[in-house]
Amino acid sequence: MLKIEGLRKSYDGNEILKGISVDVSKGDVISIIGPSGSGKTTLLRNMTTLEQADGGHIQFADVDKDFQKLSSKDIQTIRRNVGFVFQNYNLFNNKTALQNITEGLIVARKVNKSEAKKIALEALERVGLSDRQNHYPSQLSGGQQQRVGIARAVALNPKVIFFDEPTSALDPELVGEVLKVMRDLAESGTTMVVVTHQMNFARNVSNKVIFMADGHIVEQGSPESIFEHPSEKRTQEFLTDILANV
């Protein structure tokens, strides 16, 4: 469904992504793990055209082109078919939970207001926040704000939802409520690509795990193969270090 080949990205002459290739099939839940600075967030932002890649090729949603040859229409097509859940929620502080979801539907998708409200309410119900529809972000916990962010992505009915470390800004006691929503989405067949430090999620919910380091995909495979039988020394070192601190 989504195929990325040879993705490259540099900042100020420093190459962050060094020829990344990723295949995403319908229904996949792919967890991307690795040390800070390995390029995980940059990969997500370039795959979704939130940033412009320096090189590589994308096949997705009727687009089959090199990244550098994407037209404005191509970029619009790609973005219309992805959802993105940000680390720090990215909600409008002056809009209610309901309005944060309907905004994209009405402005970007040209959905009429009554239909947008119906879709948004269904999305809020899916993340367990029907009773918070008229609350502003300042009236919601971090976990609730992130669930609104997930509802906003779900409401767009994208082919793939990308999650950029969705629990990293949360207090530890709020992490579980967000992970539960993500597990529910996975079980319902939602295609997801998740950058995460939550190893239990990567191990127990994903069907594929990608380990990145230094701008490369070092190793990828099933959760069992990555967590129980990693073949690369760099993967082994990372997992030994991070699991020792869990």
Side-chain angles (χ1 to χ4, degrees), residues 49-132:
T49 71
L50 290 177
E51 294 183 16
Q52 184 177 1
D54 297 329
H57 193 93
I58 182 169
Q59 289 177 251
F60 179 60
D62 299 323
V63 176
D64 187 354
K65 285 187 178 180
D66 289 345
F67 276 102
Q68 289 188 304
K69 295 180 180 178
L70 294 176
S71 66
S72 297
K73 184 179 179 182
D74 294 329
I75 291 170
Q76 186 180 36
T77 297
I78 291 167
R79 290 181 182 176
R80 282 179 64 88
N81 284 282
V82 300
F84 205 102
V85 178
F86 297 88
Q87 234 176 95
N88 295 309
Y89 326 135
N90 275 32
L91 301 179
F92 296 108
N93 290 323
N94 63 336
K95 295 184 184 297
T96 64
L98 184 67
Q99 291 168 337
N100 264 284
I101 300 169
T102 58
E103 180 81 5
L105 292 166
I106 294 167
V107 176
R109 299 292 175 88
K110 309 303 180 187
V111 178
N112 69 62
K113 288 184 178 181
S114 61
E115 180 64 15
K117 182 177 180 180
K118 179 176 178 287
I119 293 169
L121 288 173
E122 289 172 353
L124 282 170
E125 184 174 0
R126 243 181 127 173
V127 301
L129 288 175
S130 297
D131 60 341
R132 296 290 192 272

Side-chain angles (χ1 to χ4, degrees), residues 8-216:
R8 295 185 176 274
K9 180 66 178 180
S10 298
Y11 298 107
D12 300 323
N14 182 26
E15 193 171 31
I16 306 299
L17 300 177
K18 303 172 182 178
I20 301 287
S21 297
V22 179
D23 283 333
V24 182
S25 298
K26 186 175 182 179
D28 272 350
V29 179
I30 300 176
S31 287
I32 303 175
I33 63 173
S36 296
S38 58
K40 304 183 299 295
T41 291
T42 303
L43 174 60
L44 256 58
R45 295 184 66 84
N46 282 268
M47 284 176 72
T48 56
T49 71
L50 290 177
E51 294 183 16
Q52 184 177 1
D54 297 329
H57 193 93
I58 182 169
Q59 289 177 251
F60 179 60
D62 299 323
V63 176
D64 187 354
K65 285 187 178 180
D66 289 345
F67 276 102
Q68 289 188 304
K69 295 180 180 178
L70 294 176
S71 66
S72 297
K73 184 179 179 182
D74 294 329
I75 291 170
Q76 186 180 36
T77 297
I78 291 167
R79 290 181 182 176
R80 282 179 64 88
N81 284 282
V82 300
F84 205 102
V85 178
F86 297 88
Q87 234 176 95
N88 295 309
Y89 326 135
N90 275 32
L91 301 179
F92 296 108
N93 290 323
N94 63 336
K95 295 184 184 297
T96 64
L98 184 67
Q99 291 168 337
N100 264 284
I101 300 169
T102 58
E103 180 81 5
L105 292 166
I106 294 167
V107 176
R109 299 292 175 88
K110 309 303 180 187
V111 178
N112 69 62
K113 288 184 178 181
S114 61
E115 180 64 15
K117 182 177 180 180
K118 179 176 178 287
I119 293 169
L121 288 173
E122 289 172 353
L124 282 170
E125 184 174 0
R126 243 181 127 173
V127 301
L129 288 175
S130 297
D131 60 341
R132 296 290 192 272
Q133 62 178 280
N134 294 318
H135 285 57
Y136 290 89
S138 62
Q139 298 171 307
L140 300 172
S141 71
Q144 289 169 335
Q145 289 184 64
Q146 190 59 292
R147 284 191 279 156
V148 173
I150 294 172
R152 178 178 55 190
V154 167
L156 297 171
N157 193 29
K159 293 182 183 295
V160 188
I161 301 181
F162 292 81
F163 295 78
D164 181 18
E165 298 189 22
T167 61
S168 66
L170 300 177
D171 292 332
E173 68 269 20
L174 300 177
V175 169
E177 66 187 65
V178 173
L179 292 179
K180 180 184 182 303
V181 169
M182 294 173 65
R183 284 191 186 94
D184 290 345
L185 288 175
E187 289 172 5
S188 73
T190 303
T191 307
M192 302 160 62
V193 179
V194 185
V195 168
T196 185
H197 292 296
Q198 298 293 327
M199 294 300 117
N200 283 335
F201 178 90
R203 188 198 294 257
N204 298 320
V205 182
S206 310
N207 69 305
K208 183 192 291 185
V209 177
I210 293 173
F211 172 66
M212 284 185 67
D214 305 317
H216 295 282

